[in-house]
Amino acid sequence: MGLLEELNTKAMALGVPLSVQLDLTWRCNEHCVHCYLDHDGQGEMSTAEIKDVLRQLAESGTFFLSISGGEPLLRRDCFEILEYARALRFNVKLKTNATMIGAGEAARLHQLGIEQVQISIYSHRPEVHDAITQSPGSLQRSLAAIRRLTAVGLKVSITNVLMQQNAPDAKGVRQLAQELGASYVLDPTITPKLNGDRSIVELGISGSELKDIFHSEEFVGNVVEFCAPAPPADEEVLNGHGCSAGHTLAYISPTGEVYPCVQFPMLCGNLRRQSFREIWQTSKELAQFRAIQVRDLPECSRCSYVAQCTRCPGLAYMEGDMRGRSSADCAKSEARSDPRPS
């Protein structure tokens, strides 16, 4: 067992919110066609409120903190918040489109000791990337920022969300990441809007394209091992929860609402009315969700893929039942496990 896995296991046993994502704002200077957020900036927490939330998280045992948005750098107090988070000894990851990161911002992020900067790049071709962000010149600005960040020694992770519009460019983005000295993460899941609108899910790639991705050595490494038959669902699997959301992970919106995860819009409380500790320990919604084991999932517990599935209860919740199937994860499990067509 690796150190991080051991840490998460202990946090699960103790009920510690080890990892939290905090969105500073949902406002953004890009307008990505697949974005699941409402870009309205009304009601955002103040600087003082956010600092109080961070203090509460530190007292609750949170260590990994993701600062995200929208575009977090649109807030003038973003660096003040990052500095406060680092003073509280959080391991901080910043999620940003990076279009607002110049040389000074890159140097400041390095000075603060930000663990990683995660940036979405949709294509190595400007005409494709900029069409997705609906922001002309955005690829050029993001790539310039990545070069500044890596030049000062910061770790950069490029996330490549795949959809029909950019599916042919995955290999190009991966090669671009290698050339820039950044790590590469491929994400084939389009998340429905938090307000329940599922229309953007139709932007996702087809089943055959998904299977090609999962069976490409460039993306999954050892294809033979990756496509081996799924192990049987033993008692350990059936007694587990299958996801860290709500167990060791929480999401906080710009208005102080607390959810199990950014992909799980089940409201559990609001930090303007309750403390984080009170929500984490007494929320009826969290208690109901935490009681669910894999064996309690009517369909999934009987599925041959259950032992290796990355089922997202939040996506299942948005389909109508958090105990039900997540269509996106069913498709990934099938594509991951089925033999590649000859």
Side-chain angles (χ1 to χ4, degrees):
M1 182 182 295
L3 180 59
L4 289 180
E5 186 179 355
E6 182 179 354
L7 187 60
N8 195 67
T9 299
K10 289 184 177 180
M12 179 80 78
L14 296 171
V16 175
L18 185 63
S19 303
V20 171
Q21 175 172 321
L22 169 62
D23 281 0
L24 301 186
T25 180
W26 282 348
R27 292 175 289 126
C28 192
N29 56 347
E30 296 183 341
H31 303 281
C32 298
V33 296
H34 64 293
C35 185
Y36 54 85
L37 296 175
D38 180 353
H39 287 178
D40 188 347
Q42 296 183 358
E44 293 176 2
M45 290 186 287
S46 66
T47 307
E49 286 179 304
I50 291 174
K51 286 183 175 181
D52 184 57
V53 168
L54 293 177
R55 179 188 54 77
Q56 293 181 52
L57 293 178
E59 292 174 352
S60 298
T62 300
F63 179 65
F64 298 106
L65 178 70
S66 293
I67 297 293
S68 186
E71 175 46 56
L73 288 170
L74 282 176
R75 285 193 56 138
R76 295 182 178 180
D77 59 359
C78 183
F79 278 95
E80 181 180 349
I81 291 167
L82 290 172
E83 182 175 8
Y84 188 75
R86 288 295 296 130
L88 290 173
R89 303 297 185 185
F90 288 112
N91 176 289
V92 179
K93 176 189 294 183
L94 176 66
K95 297 181 179 181
T96 170
N97 59 41
T99 58
M100 300 175 68
I101 295 179
E105 288 77 14
R108 182 70 176 131
L109 291 172
H110 179 260
Q111 180 186 23
L112 288 173
I114 300 303
E115 175 65 21
Q116 185 184 77
V117 181
Q118 181 177 314
I119 302 166
S120 291
I121 299 294
Y122 303 106
S123 173
H124 58 296
R125 296 183 293 158
E127 63 271 22
V128 176
H129 177 94
D130 294 359
I132 290 173
T133 64
Q134 301 187 81
S135 177
S138 58
L139 177 62
Q140 181 180 0
R141 291 192 293 274
S142 292
L143 294 183
I146 292 172
R147 293 186 179 95
R148 295 184 187 109
L149 292 166
T150 55
V152 297
L154 276 166
K155 290 187 287 187
V156 175
S157 173
I158 287 178
T159 298
N160 183 199
V161 178
L162 282 191
M163 57 198 92
Q164 297 172 27
Q165 200 166 340
N166 68 337
D169 293 352
K171 293 181 180 179
V173 177
R174 181 178 180 273
Q175 181 177 347
L176 180 62
Q178 291 177 330
E179 293 171 355
L180 292 169
S183 60
Y184 173 82
V185 177
L186 184 147
D187 183 358
T189 302
I190 303 297
T191 301
K193 289 182 178 291
L194 291 184
N195 63 10
D197 182 357
R198 297 185 56 81
S199 60
I200 57 175
V201 174
E202 299 302 318
L203 297 171
I205 61 176
S206 67
S208 60
E209 289 173 314
L210 189 61
K211 186 174 290 188
D212 286 341
I213 289 294
F214 276 118
H215 289 264
S216 169
E217 291 188 24
E218 291 183 276
F219 298 113
V220 299
N222 191 324
V223 177
V224 176
E225 179 182 348
F226 202 72
C227 299
D234 58 20
E235 287 299 305
E236 184 178 357
V237 172
L238 293 175
N239 290 336
H241 299 284
C243 179
S244 59
H247 293 279
T248 63
L249 170 69
Y251 165 65
I252 300 172
S253 79
T255 55
E257 294 177 324
V258 178
Y259 300 90
C261 171
V262 69
Q263 292 190 144
F264 198 157
M266 179 177 70
L267 181 60
C268 300
N270 193 298
L271 293 166
R272 283 173 163 157
R273 295 188 291 271
Q274 299 168 275
S275 70
F276 179 82
R277 188 184 298 274
E278 182 182 359
I279 295 170
W280 187 255
Q281 294 181 348
T282 68
S283 163
K284 294 180 180 178
E285 292 80 10
L286 283 175
Q288 179 187 21
F289 170 64
R290 288 168 180 160
I292 301 172
Q293 296 178 309
V294 172
R295 66 170 64 256
D296 300 320
L297 308 176
E299 289 185 75
C300 300
S301 62
R302 301 192 302 269
C303 178
S304 60
Y305 301 133
V306 65
Q308 65 175 25
C309 182
T310 56
R311 174 186 176 274
C312 173
L315 294 179
Y317 177 84
M318 285 192 272
E319 288 191 47
D321 184 3
M322 63 181 170
R323 291 177 174 83
R325 69 200 300 269
S326 161
S327 298
D329 292 299
C330 290
K332 284 190 285 187
S333 291
E334 182 177 352
R336 182 187 297 122
S337 304
D338 287 357
R340 188 173 189 174
S342 57

